[in-house]
PDB file of all heavy atoms in Angstrom:
ATOM      1  N   CYS Q   1     -24.314  -1.016  -0.067  1.00 96.00           N
ATOM      2  CA  CYS Q   1     -25.191  -1.391   1.055  1.00 96.00           C
ATOM      3  C   CYS Q   1     -24.478  -1.235   2.388  1.00 96.00           C
ATOM      4  O   CYS Q   1     -25.028  -0.694   3.356  1.00 96.00           O
ATOM      5  CB  CYS Q   1     -25.667  -2.837   0.897  1.00 96.00           C
ATOM      6  SG  CYS Q   1     -26.837  -3.119  -0.461  1.00 96.00           S
ATOM      7  N   GLU Q   2     -23.237  -1.702   2.459  1.00 94.00           N
ATOM      8  CA  GLU Q   2     -22.491  -1.655   3.707  1.00 94.00           C
ATOM      9  C   GLU Q   2     -22.137  -0.223   4.099  1.00 94.00           C
ATOM     10  O   GLU Q   2     -22.194   0.144   5.276  1.00 94.00           O
ATOM     11  CB  GLU Q   2     -21.222  -2.499   3.585  1.00 94.00           C
ATOM     12  CG  GLU Q   2     -21.481  -4.001   3.474  1.00 94.00           C
ATOM     13  CD  GLU Q   2     -22.111  -4.566   4.739  1.00 94.00           C
ATOM     14  OE1 GLU Q   2     -21.583  -4.309   5.838  1.00 94.00           O
ATOM     15  OE2 GLU Q   2     -23.139  -5.257   4.624  1.00 94.00           O
ATOM     16  N   ALA Q   3     -21.778   0.615   3.127  1.00 96.00           N
ATOM     17  CA  ALA Q   3     -21.424   2.007   3.431  1.00 96.00           C
ATOM     18  C   ALA Q   3     -22.646   2.783   3.913  1.00 96.00           C
ATOM     19  O   ALA Q   3     -22.555   3.582   4.859  1.00 96.00           O
ATOM     20  CB  ALA Q   3     -20.825   2.677   2.200  1.00 96.00           C
ATOM     21  N   LEU Q   4     -23.789   2.561   3.293  1.00 98.00           N
ATOM     22  CA  LEU Q   4     -25.002   3.258   3.725  1.00 98.00           C
ATOM     23  C   LEU Q   4     -25.390   2.851   5.146  1.00 98.00           C
ATOM     24  O   LEU Q   4     -25.854   3.690   5.936  1.00 98.00           O
ATOM     25  CB  LEU Q   4     -26.152   2.974   2.758  1.00 98.00           C
ATOM     26  CG  LEU Q   4     -26.063   3.689   1.403  1.00 98.00           C
ATOM     27  CD1 LEU Q   4     -27.115   3.154   0.444  1.00 98.00           C
ATOM     28  CD2 LEU Q   4     -26.225   5.199   1.581  1.00 98.00           C
ATOM     29  N   TRP Q   5     -25.187   1.582   5.478  1.00 97.00           N
ATOM     30  CA  TRP Q   5     -25.482   1.162   6.854  1.00 97.00           C
ATOM     31  C   TRP Q   5     -24.542   1.853   7.842  1.00 97.00           C
ATOM     32  O   TRP Q   5     -24.978   2.347   8.886  1.00 97.00           O
ATOM     33  CB  TRP Q   5     -25.348  -0.353   6.988  1.00 97.00           C
ATOM     34  CG  TRP Q   5     -25.629  -0.832   8.384  1.00 97.00           C
ATOM     35  CD1 TRP Q   5     -26.848  -1.068   8.955  1.00 97.00           C
ATOM     36  CD2 TRP Q   5     -24.654  -1.094   9.405  1.00 97.00           C
ATOM     37  NE1 TRP Q   5     -26.703  -1.464  10.267  1.00 97.00           N
ATOM     38  CE2 TRP Q   5     -25.364  -1.486  10.567  1.00 97.00           C
ATOM     39  CE3 TRP Q   5     -23.266  -1.042   9.448  1.00 97.00           C
ATOM     40  CZ2 TRP Q   5     -24.715  -1.826  11.762  1.00 97.00           C
ATOM     41  CZ3 TRP Q   5     -22.622  -1.381  10.633  1.00 97.00           C
ATOM     42  CH2 TRP Q   5     -23.346  -1.763  11.783  1.00 97.00           C
ATOM     43  N   ARG Q   6     -23.273   1.920   7.509  1.00 96.00           N
ATOM     44  CA  ARG Q   6     -22.317   2.566   8.411  1.00 96.00           C
ATOM     45  C   ARG Q   6     -22.636   4.045   8.599  1.00 96.00           C
ATOM     46  O   ARG Q   6     -22.413   4.602   9.672  1.00 96.00           O
ATOM     47  CB  ARG Q   6     -20.891   2.403   7.868  1.00 96.00           C
ATOM     48  CG  ARG Q   6     -20.375   0.966   7.886  1.00 96.00           C
ATOM     49  CD  ARG Q   6     -18.894   0.920   7.601  1.00 96.00           C
ATOM     50  NE  ARG Q   6     -18.389  -0.449   7.552  1.00 96.00           N
ATOM     51  CZ  ARG Q   6     -17.102  -0.776   7.662  1.00 96.00           C
ATOM     52  NH1 ARG Q   6     -16.195   0.174   7.841  1.00 96.00           N
ATOM     53  NH2 ARG Q   6     -16.723  -2.037   7.592  1.00 96.00           N
ATOM     54  N   ALA Q   7     -23.140   4.678   7.543  1.00 98.00           N
ATOM     55  CA  ALA Q   7     -23.461   6.102   7.616  1.00 98.00           C
ATOM     56  C   ALA Q   7     -24.856   6.350   8.185  1.00 98.00           C
ATOM     57  O   ALA Q   7     -25.258   7.504   8.338  1.00 98.00           O
ATOM     58  CB  ALA Q   7     -23.359   6.727   6.234  1.00 98.00           C
ATOM     59  N   LYS Q   8     -25.612   5.290   8.484  1.00 98.00           N
ATOM     60  CA  LYS Q   8     -26.973   5.372   9.020  1.00 98.00           C
ATOM     61  C   LYS Q   8     -27.908   6.113   8.074  1.00 98.00           C
ATOM     62  O   LYS Q   8     -28.766   6.890   8.485  1.00 98.00           O
ATOM     63  CB  LYS Q   8     -26.978   6.052  10.403  1.00 98.00           C
ATOM     64  CG  LYS Q   8     -26.201   5.303  11.464  1.00 98.00           C
ATOM     65  CD  LYS Q   8     -26.316   5.994  12.819  1.00 98.00           C
ATOM     66  CE  LYS Q   8     -25.552   5.239  13.904  1.00 98.00           C
ATOM     67  NZ  LYS Q   8     -25.682   5.890  15.238  1.00 98.00           N
ATOM     68  N   LEU Q   9     -27.735   5.847   6.767  1.00 98.00           N
ATOM     69  CA  LEU Q   9     -28.552   6.500   5.753  1.00 98.00           C
ATOM     70  C   LEU Q   9     -29.384   5.469   4.999  1.00 98.00           C
ATOM     71  O   LEU Q   9     -28.881   4.420   4.604  1.00 98.00           O
ATOM     72  CB  LEU Q   9     -27.667   7.262   4.766  1.00 98.00           C
ATOM     73  CG  LEU Q   9     -26.927   8.479   5.331  1.00 98.00           C
ATOM     74  CD1 LEU Q   9     -25.931   9.010   4.318  1.00 98.00           C
ATOM     75  CD2 LEU Q   9     -27.919   9.568   5.730  1.00 98.00           C
ATOM     76  N   SER Q  10     -30.632   5.792   4.775  1.00 98.00           N
ATOM     77  CA  SER Q  10     -31.517   4.902   4.032  1.00 98.00           C
ATOM     78  C   SER Q  10     -31.128   4.881   2.559  1.00 98.00           C
ATOM     79  O   SER Q  10     -30.827   5.935   1.978  1.00 98.00           O
ATOM     80  CB  SER Q  10     -32.970   5.355   4.159  1.00 98.00           C
ATOM     81  OG  SER Q  10     -33.791   4.654   3.258  1.00 98.00           O
ATOM     82  N   PRO Q  11     -31.145   3.718   1.930  1.00 98.00           N
ATOM     83  CA  PRO Q  11     -30.840   3.646   0.492  1.00 98.00           C
ATOM     84  C   PRO Q  11     -31.886   4.334  -0.365  1.00 98.00           C
ATOM     85  O   PRO Q  11     -31.621   4.657  -1.526  1.00 98.00           O
ATOM     86  CB  PRO Q  11     -30.810   2.134   0.218  1.00 98.00           C
ATOM     87  CG  PRO Q  11     -31.640   1.535   1.308  1.00 98.00           C
ATOM     88  CD  PRO Q  11     -31.409   2.392   2.509  1.00 98.00           C
ATOM     89  N   THR Q  12     -33.060   4.597   0.193  1.00 98.00           N
ATOM     90  CA  THR Q  12     -34.122   5.258  -0.563  1.00 98.00           C
ATOM     91  C   THR Q  12     -34.146   6.772  -0.373  1.00 98.00           C
ATOM     92  O   THR Q  12     -34.915   7.467  -1.032  1.00 98.00           O
ATOM     93  CB  THR Q  12     -35.501   4.685  -0.157  1.00 98.00           C
ATOM     94  OG1 THR Q  12     -35.746   4.964   1.226  1.00 98.00           O
ATOM     95  CG2 THR Q  12     -35.560   3.185  -0.381  1.00 98.00           C
ATOM     96  N   ARG Q  13     -33.311   7.272   0.512  1.00 98.00           N
ATOM     97  CA  ARG Q  13     -33.260   8.732   0.749  1.00 98.00           C
ATOM     98  C   ARG Q  13     -32.812   9.438  -0.534  1.00 98.00           C
ATOM     99  O   ARG Q  13     -31.918   8.993  -1.248  1.00 98.00           O
ATOM    100  CB  ARG Q  13     -32.293   9.034   1.887  1.00 98.00           C
ATOM    101  CG  ARG Q  13     -32.018  10.521   2.054  1.00 98.00           C
ATOM    102  CD  ARG Q  13     -30.956  10.782   3.116  1.00 98.00           C
ATOM    103  NE  ARG Q  13     -31.553  10.774   4.445  1.00 98.00           N
ATOM    104  CZ  ARG Q  13     -32.109  11.832   5.023  1.00 98.00           C
ATOM    105  NH1 ARG Q  13     -32.145  12.985   4.369  1.00 98.00           N
ATOM    106  NH2 ARG Q  13     -32.616  11.750   6.228  1.00 98.00           N
ATOM    107  N   LYS Q  14     -33.409  10.588  -0.823  1.00 98.00           N
ATOM    108  CA  LYS Q  14     -33.026  11.366  -1.995  1.00 98.00           C
ATOM    109  C   LYS Q  14     -31.625  11.942  -1.815  1.00 98.00           C
ATOM    110  O   LYS Q  14     -31.288  12.498  -0.768  1.00 98.00           O
ATOM    111  CB  LYS Q  14     -34.033  12.495  -2.238  1.00 98.00           C
ATOM    112  CG  LYS Q  14     -35.423  12.007  -2.626  1.00 98.00           C
ATOM    113  CD  LYS Q  14     -36.358  13.177  -2.862  1.00 98.00           C
ATOM    114  CE  LYS Q  14     -37.751  12.693  -3.251  1.00 98.00           C
ATOM    115  NZ  LYS Q  14     -38.677  13.837  -3.476  1.00 98.00           N
ATOM    116  N   ALA Q  15     -30.815  11.817  -2.846  1.00 98.00           N
ATOM    117  CA  ALA Q  15     -29.430  12.275  -2.758  1.00 98.00           C
ATOM    118  C   ALA Q  15     -29.342  13.757  -2.452  1.00 98.00           C
ATOM    119  O   ALA Q  15     -28.447  14.211  -1.721  1.00 98.00           O
ATOM    120  CB  ALA Q  15     -28.696  11.958  -4.061  1.00 98.00           C
ATOM    121  N   GLY Q  16     -30.267  14.542  -2.991  1.00 98.00           N
ATOM    122  CA  GLY Q  16     -30.225  15.988  -2.799  1.00 98.00           C
ATOM    123  C   GLY Q  16     -30.387  16.429  -1.366  1.00 98.00           C
ATOM    124  O   GLY Q  16     -30.009  17.561  -1.018  1.00 98.00           O
ATOM    125  N   THR Q  17     -30.929  15.570  -0.506  1.00 98.00           N
ATOM    126  CA  THR Q  17     -31.111  15.953   0.902  1.00 98.00           C
ATOM    127  C   THR Q  17     -29.792  15.987   1.659  1.00 98.00           C
ATOM    128  O   THR Q  17     -29.769  16.401   2.820  1.00 98.00           O
ATOM    129  CB  THR Q  17     -32.079  14.983   1.602  1.00 98.00           C
ATOM    130  OG1 THR Q  17     -31.515  13.657   1.612  1.00 98.00           O
ATOM    131  CG2 THR Q  17     -33.422  14.949   0.896  1.00 98.00           C
ATOM    132  N   LEU Q  18     -28.709  15.553   1.048  1.00 98.00           N
ATOM    133  CA  LEU Q  18     -27.397  15.569   1.703  1.00 98.00           C
ATOM    134  C   LEU Q  18     -26.610  16.837   1.370  1.00 98.00           C
ATOM    135  O   LEU Q  18     -25.434  16.957   1.703  1.00 98.00           O
ATOM    136  CB  LEU Q  18     -26.572  14.334   1.303  1.00 98.00           C
ATOM    137  CG  LEU Q  18     -26.770  13.089   2.192  1.00 98.00           C
ATOM    138  CD1 LEU Q  18     -28.201  12.613   2.161  1.00 98.00           C
ATOM    139  CD2 LEU Q  18     -25.827  11.971   1.752  1.00 98.00           C
ATOM    140  N   VAL Q  19     -27.283  17.780   0.699  1.00 98.00           N
ATOM    141  CA  VAL Q  19     -26.631  19.037   0.309  1.00 98.00           C
ATOM    142  C   VAL Q  19     -27.496  20.204   0.776  1.00 98.00           C
ATOM    143  O   VAL Q  19     -28.716  20.193   0.609  1.00 98.00           O
ATOM    144  CB  VAL Q  19     -26.423  19.104  -1.220  1.00 98.00           C
ATOM    145  CG1 VAL Q  19     -25.713  20.403  -1.600  1.00 98.00           C
ATOM    146  CG2 VAL Q  19     -25.630  17.901  -1.703  1.00 98.00           C
ATOM    147  N   LYS Q  20     -26.862  21.206   1.373  1.00 98.00           N
ATOM    148  CA  LYS Q  20     -27.584  22.391   1.842  1.00 98.00           C
ATOM    149  C   LYS Q  20     -28.025  23.262   0.666  1.00 98.00           C
ATOM    150  O   LYS Q  20     -27.557  23.106  -0.465  1.00 98.00           O
ATOM    151  CB  LYS Q  20     -26.683  23.209   2.776  1.00 98.00           C
ATOM    152  CG  LYS Q  20     -26.246  22.464   4.028  1.00 98.00           C
ATOM    153  CD  LYS Q  20     -25.292  23.306   4.858  1.00 98.00           C
ATOM    154  CE  LYS Q  20     -24.803  22.548   6.079  1.00 98.00           C
ATOM    155  NZ  LYS Q  20     -23.840  23.347   6.889  1.00 98.00           N
ATOM    156  N   LYS Q  21     -28.898  24.220   0.942  1.00 97.00           N
ATOM    157  CA  LYS Q  21     -29.420  25.090  -0.107  1.00 97.00           C
ATOM    158  C   LYS Q  21     -28.318  25.909  -0.769  1.00 97.00           C
ATOM    159  O   LYS Q  21     -28.420  26.268  -1.946  1.00 97.00           O
ATOM    160  CB  LYS Q  21     -30.499  26.016   0.474  1.00 97.00           C
ATOM    161  CG  LYS Q  21     -31.779  25.289   0.856  1.00 97.00           C
ATOM    162  CD  LYS Q  21     -32.828  26.277   1.353  1.00 97.00           C
ATOM    163  CE  LYS Q  21     -34.124  25.546   1.709  1.00 97.00           C
ATOM    164  NZ  LYS Q  21     -35.171  26.482   2.196  1.00 97.00           N
ATOM    165  N   ASP Q  22     -27.269  26.214   0.000  1.00 98.00           N
ATOM    166  CA  ASP Q  22     -26.175  27.007  -0.569  1.00 98.00           C
ATOM    167  C   ASP Q  22     -25.153  26.142  -1.300  1.00 98.00           C
ATOM    168  O   ASP Q  22     -24.117  26.633  -1.759  1.00 98.00           O
ATOM    169  CB  ASP Q  22     -25.479  27.828   0.521  1.00 98.00           C
ATOM    170  CG  ASP Q  22     -24.810  26.958   1.585  1.00 98.00           C
ATOM    171  OD1 ASP Q  22     -24.881  25.710   1.488  1.00 98.00           O
ATOM    172  OD2 ASP Q  22     -24.217  27.528   2.521  1.00 98.00           O
ATOM    173  N   GLY Q  23     -25.424  24.829  -1.420  1.00 97.00           N
ATOM    174  CA  GLY Q  23     -24.537  23.927  -2.142  1.00 97.00           C
ATOM    175  C   GLY Q  23     -23.485  23.245  -1.294  1.00 97.00           C
ATOM    176  O   GLY Q  23     -22.727  22.409  -1.787  1.00 97.00           O
ATOM    177  N   ALA Q  24     -23.419  23.601  -0.023  1.00 98.00           N
ATOM    178  CA  ALA Q  24     -22.430  22.985   0.869  1.00 98.00           C
ATOM    179  C   ALA Q  24     -22.914  21.598   1.316  1.00 98.00           C
ATOM    180  O   ALA Q  24     -24.115  21.351   1.423  1.00 98.00           O
ATOM    181  CB  ALA Q  24     -22.198  23.867   2.083  1.00 98.00           C
ATOM    182  N   PRO Q  25     -21.985  20.686   1.583  1.00 98.00           N
ATOM    183  CA  PRO Q  25     -22.383  19.353   2.037  1.00 98.00           C
ATOM    184  C   PRO Q  25     -22.911  19.388   3.468  1.00 98.00           C
ATOM    185  O   PRO Q  25     -22.442  20.164   4.295  1.00 98.00           O
ATOM    186  CB  PRO Q  25     -21.084  18.550   1.959  1.00 98.00           C
ATOM    187  CG  PRO Q  25     -19.998  19.564   2.110  1.00 98.00           C
ATOM    188  CD  PRO Q  25     -20.521  20.806   1.433  1.00 98.00           C
ATOM    189  N   THR Q  26     -23.893  18.555   3.748  1.00 98.00           N
ATOM    190  CA  THR Q  26     -24.386  18.416   5.114  1.00 98.00           C
ATOM    191  C   THR Q  26     -23.485  17.451   5.874  1.00 98.00           C
ATOM    192  O   THR Q  26     -22.618  16.783   5.295  1.00 98.00           O
ATOM    193  CB  THR Q  26     -25.820  17.857   5.126  1.00 98.00           C
ATOM    194  OG1 THR Q  26     -25.790  16.515   4.602  1.00 98.00           O
ATOM    195  CG2 THR Q  26     -26.751  18.715   4.295  1.00 98.00           C
ATOM    196  N   GLU Q  27     -23.709  17.362   7.178  1.00 98.00           N
ATOM    197  CA  GLU Q  27     -22.942  16.425   7.989  1.00 98.00           C
ATOM    198  C   GLU Q  27     -23.206  14.987   7.544  1.00 98.00           C
ATOM    199  O   GLU Q  27     -22.328  14.134   7.651  1.00 98.00           O
ATOM    200  CB  GLU Q  27     -23.308  16.598   9.467  1.00 98.00           C
ATOM    201  CG  GLU Q  27     -22.470  15.757  10.422  1.00 98.00           C
ATOM    202  CD  GLU Q  27     -20.989  16.097  10.373  1.00 98.00           C
ATOM    203  OE1 GLU Q  27     -20.649  17.254  10.031  1.00 98.00           O
ATOM    204  OE2 GLU Q  27     -20.174  15.204  10.671  1.00 98.00           O
ATOM    205  N   ARG Q  28     -24.403  14.723   7.034  1.00 98.00           N
ATOM    206  CA  ARG Q  28     -24.714  13.381   6.540  1.00 98.00           C
ATOM    207  C   ARG Q  28     -23.799  12.992   5.381  1.00 98.00           C
ATOM    208  O   ARG Q  28     -23.344  11.855   5.288  1.00 98.00           O
ATOM    209  CB  ARG Q  28     -26.184  13.310   6.099  1.00 98.00           C
ATOM    210  CG  ARG Q  28     -27.199  13.277   7.230  1.00 98.00           C
ATOM    211  CD  ARG Q  28     -28.579  12.950   6.667  1.00 98.00           C
ATOM    212  NE  ARG Q  28     -29.581  12.820   7.715  1.00 98.00           N
ATOM    213  CZ  ARG Q  28     -30.436  13.765   8.049  1.00 98.00           C
ATOM    214  NH1 ARG Q  28     -30.397  14.939   7.416  1.00 98.00           N
ATOM    215  NH2 ARG Q  28     -31.327  13.564   9.000  1.00 98.00           N
ATOM    216  N   LEU Q  29     -23.544  13.939   4.485  1.00 98.00           N
ATOM    217  CA  LEU Q  29     -22.677  13.643   3.344  1.00 98.00           C
ATOM    218  C   LEU Q  29     -21.239  13.437   3.802  1.00 98.00           C
ATOM    219  O   LEU Q  29     -20.523  12.579   3.285  1.00 98.00           O
ATOM    220  CB  LEU Q  29     -22.747  14.766   2.304  1.00 98.00           C
ATOM    221  CG  LEU Q  29     -21.969  14.534   0.996  1.00 98.00           C
ATOM    222  CD1 LEU Q  29     -22.317  13.188   0.373  1.00 98.00           C
ATOM    223  CD2 LEU Q  29     -22.234  15.674   0.008  1.00 98.00           C
ATOM    224  N   VAL Q  30     -20.803  14.207   4.773  1.00 98.00           N
ATOM    225  CA  VAL Q  30     -19.464  14.028   5.335  1.00 98.00           C
ATOM    226  C   VAL Q  30     -19.319  12.619   5.913  1.00 98.00           C
ATOM    227  O   VAL Q  30     -18.319  11.926   5.683  1.00 98.00           O
ATOM    228  CB  VAL Q  30     -19.179  15.089   6.421  1.00 98.00           C
ATOM    229  CG1 VAL Q  30     -17.850  14.792   7.120  1.00 98.00           C
ATOM    230  CG2 VAL Q  30     -19.154  16.486   5.809  1.00 98.00           C
ATOM    231  N   LYS Q  31     -20.343  12.177   6.651  1.00 98.00           N
ATOM    232  CA  LYS Q  31     -20.303  10.842   7.245  1.00 98.00           C
ATOM    233  C   LYS Q  31     -20.369   9.752   6.177  1.00 98.00           C
ATOM    234  O   LYS Q  31     -19.744   8.695   6.316  1.00 98.00           O
ATOM    235  CB  LYS Q  31     -21.459  10.682   8.226  1.00 98.00           C
ATOM    236  CG  LYS Q  31     -21.299  11.508   9.497  1.00 98.00           C
ATOM    237  CD  LYS Q  31     -22.473  11.290  10.453  1.00 98.00           C
ATOM    238  CE  LYS Q  31     -22.280  12.087  11.742  1.00 98.00           C
ATOM    239  NZ  LYS Q  31     -23.423  11.903  12.677  1.00 98.00           N
ATOM    240  N   LEU Q  32     -21.109  10.015   5.111  1.00 98.00           N
ATOM    241  CA  LEU Q  32     -21.198   9.027   4.033  1.00 98.00           C
ATOM    242  C   LEU Q  32     -19.843   8.834   3.355  1.00 98.00           C
ATOM    243  O   LEU Q  32     -19.436   7.700   3.080  1.00 98.00           O
ATOM    244  CB  LEU Q  32     -22.246   9.469   3.006  1.00 98.00           C
ATOM    245  CG  LEU Q  32     -22.400   8.550   1.784  1.00 98.00           C
ATOM    246  CD1 LEU Q  32     -22.769   7.133   2.189  1.00 98.00           C
ATOM    247  CD2 LEU Q  32     -23.424   9.129   0.812  1.00 98.00           C
ATOM    248  N   VAL Q  33     -19.151   9.925   3.072  1.00 97.00           N
ATOM    249  CA  VAL Q  33     -17.822   9.819   2.458  1.00 97.00           C
ATOM    250  C   VAL Q  33     -16.883   9.020   3.362  1.00 97.00           C
ATOM    251  O   VAL Q  33     -16.147   8.140   2.895  1.00 97.00           O
ATOM    252  CB  VAL Q  33     -17.238  11.220   2.170  1.00 97.00           C
ATOM    253  CG1 VAL Q  33     -15.762  11.124   1.787  1.00 97.00           C
ATOM    254  CG2 VAL Q  33     -18.026  11.896   1.053  1.00 97.00           C
ATOM    255  N   ALA Q  34     -16.919   9.306   4.655  1.00 97.00           N
ATOM    256  CA  ALA Q  34     -16.070   8.569   5.594  1.00 97.00           C
ATOM    257  C   ALA Q  34     -16.440   7.083   5.606  1.00 97.00           C
ATOM    258  O   ALA Q  34     -15.558   6.214   5.687  1.00 97.00           O
ATOM    259  CB  ALA Q  34     -16.214   9.158   6.998  1.00 97.00           C
ATOM    260  N   ALA Q  35     -17.734   6.784   5.506  1.00 97.00           N
ATOM    261  CA  ALA Q  35     -18.182   5.393   5.509  1.00 97.00           C
ATOM    262  C   ALA Q  35     -17.729   4.666   4.259  1.00 97.00           C
ATOM    263  O   ALA Q  35     -17.308   3.499   4.316  1.00 97.00           O
ATOM    264  CB  ALA Q  35     -19.706   5.333   5.631  1.00 97.00           C
ATOM    265  N   VAL Q  36     -17.810   5.327   3.108  1.00 96.00           N
ATOM    266  CA  VAL Q  36     -17.358   4.721   1.855  1.00 96.00           C
ATOM    267  C   VAL Q  36     -15.870   4.395   1.933  1.00 96.00           C
ATOM    268  O   VAL Q  36     -15.432   3.286   1.603  1.00 96.00           O
ATOM    269  CB  VAL Q  36     -17.643   5.656   0.659  1.00 96.00           C
ATOM    270  CG1 VAL Q  36     -16.915   5.163  -0.597  1.00 96.00           C
ATOM    271  CG2 VAL Q  36     -19.139   5.746   0.388  1.00 96.00           C
ATOM    272  N   ARG Q  37     -15.091   5.368   2.386  1.00 94.00           N
ATOM    273  CA  ARG Q  37     -13.645   5.141   2.513  1.00 94.00           C
ATOM    274  C   ARG Q  37     -13.348   3.978   3.461  1.00 94.00           C
ATOM    275  O   ARG Q  37     -12.513   3.119   3.176  1.00 94.00           O
ATOM    276  CB  ARG Q  37     -12.965   6.405   3.044  1.00 94.00           C
ATOM    277  CG  ARG Q  37     -12.847   7.538   2.041  1.00 94.00           C
ATOM    278  CD  ARG Q  37     -12.096   8.701   2.685  1.00 94.00           C
ATOM    279  NE  ARG Q  37     -11.832   9.766   1.761  1.00 94.00           N
ATOM    280  CZ  ARG Q  37     -10.808   9.793   0.919  1.00 94.00           C
ATOM    281  NH1 ARG Q  37      -9.961   8.772   0.890  1.00 94.00           N
ATOM    282  NH2 ARG Q  37     -10.616  10.815   0.116  1.00 94.00           N
ATOM    283  N   ALA Q  38     -14.048   3.948   4.587  1.00 92.00           N
ATOM    284  CA  ALA Q  38     -13.769   2.935   5.607  1.00 92.00           C
ATOM    285  C   ALA Q  38     -14.143   1.537   5.138  1.00 92.00           C
ATOM    286  O   ALA Q  38     -13.394   0.580   5.354  1.00 92.00           O
ATOM    287  CB  ALA Q  38     -14.516   3.281   6.897  1.00 92.00           C
ATOM    288  N   VAL Q  39     -15.299   1.404   4.500  1.00 92.00           N
ATOM    289  CA  VAL Q  39     -15.733   0.066   4.097  1.00 92.00           C
ATOM    290  C   VAL Q  39     -14.839  -0.479   2.985  1.00 92.00           C
ATOM    291  O   VAL Q  39     -14.529  -1.681   2.963  1.00 92.00           O
ATOM    292  CB  VAL Q  39     -17.223   0.068   3.674  1.00 92.00           C
ATOM    293  CG1 VAL Q  39     -17.433   0.650   2.285  1.00 92.00           C
ATOM    294  CG2 VAL Q  39     -17.788  -1.343   3.721  1.00 92.00           C
ATOM    295  N   ILE Q  40     -14.379   0.381   2.087  1.00 90.00           N
ATOM    296  CA  ILE Q  40     -13.465  -0.071   1.039  1.00 90.00           C
ATOM    297  C   ILE Q  40     -12.126  -0.471   1.648  1.00 90.00           C
ATOM    298  O   ILE Q  40     -11.553  -1.518   1.307  1.00 90.00           O
ATOM    299  CB  ILE Q  40     -13.259   1.031  -0.021  1.00 90.00           C
ATOM    300  CG1 ILE Q  40     -14.562   1.278  -0.794  1.00 90.00           C
ATOM    301  CG2 ILE Q  40     -12.146   0.649  -0.982  1.00 90.00           C
ATOM    302  CD1 ILE Q  40     -15.058   0.107  -1.597  1.00 90.00           C
ATOM    303  N   ALA Q  41     -11.607   0.340   2.565  1.00 88.00           N
ATOM    304  CA  ALA Q  41     -10.335   0.024   3.210  1.00 88.00           C
ATOM    305  C   ALA Q  41     -10.419  -1.287   3.987  1.00 88.00           C
ATOM    306  O   ALA Q  41      -9.509  -2.126   3.923  1.00 88.00           O
ATOM    307  CB  ALA Q  41      -9.918   1.166   4.136  1.00 88.00           C
ATOM    308  N   ASP Q  42     -11.516  -1.494   4.713  1.00 87.00           N
ATOM    309  CA  ASP Q  42     -11.676  -2.729   5.489  1.00 87.00           C
ATOM    310  C   ASP Q  42     -11.780  -3.943   4.572  1.00 87.00           C
ATOM    311  O   ASP Q  42     -11.249  -5.019   4.877  1.00 87.00           O
ATOM    312  CB  ASP Q  42     -12.925  -2.641   6.372  1.00 87.00           C
ATOM    313  CG  ASP Q  42     -12.756  -1.679   7.539  1.00 87.00           C
ATOM    314  OD1 ASP Q  42     -11.615  -1.251   7.787  1.00 87.00           O
ATOM    315  OD2 ASP Q  42     -13.765  -1.360   8.191  1.00 87.00           O
ATOM    316  N   ALA Q  43     -12.487  -3.771   3.438  1.00 86.00           N
ATOM    317  CA  ALA Q  43     -12.654  -4.884   2.511  1.00 86.00           C
ATOM    318  C   ALA Q  43     -11.329  -5.251   1.849  1.00 86.00           C
ATOM    319  O   ALA Q  43     -11.014  -6.434   1.679  1.00 86.00           O
ATOM    320  CB  ALA Q  43     -13.698  -4.536   1.453  1.00 86.00           C
TER     321      ALA Q  43
END
């Protein structure tokens, strides 16, 4: 919950929308990874 808030992503958003058609990660996925790392480190 905390990581999704930091990344400004809805918990109901489909996971596939964070990946481009060519399989590359979108900027949203990059921000999500950074948010996960940060919230775990802070905790």
Side-chain angles (χ1 to χ4, degrees):
C1 290
E2 292 295 310
L4 286 170
W5 179 82
R6 292 191 183 198
K8 298 183 179 181
L9 293 171
S10 169
T12 63
R13 171 185 277 274
K14 294 181 180 180
T17 63
L18 271 61
V19 181
K20 299 177 182 179
K21 290 183 179 180
D22 63 0
T26 65
E27 185 62 27
R28 286 190 176 100
L29 185 51
V30 173
K31 290 181 178 179
L32 177 58
V33 169
V36 168
R37 286 183 175 277
V39 77
I40 293 297
D42 288 349

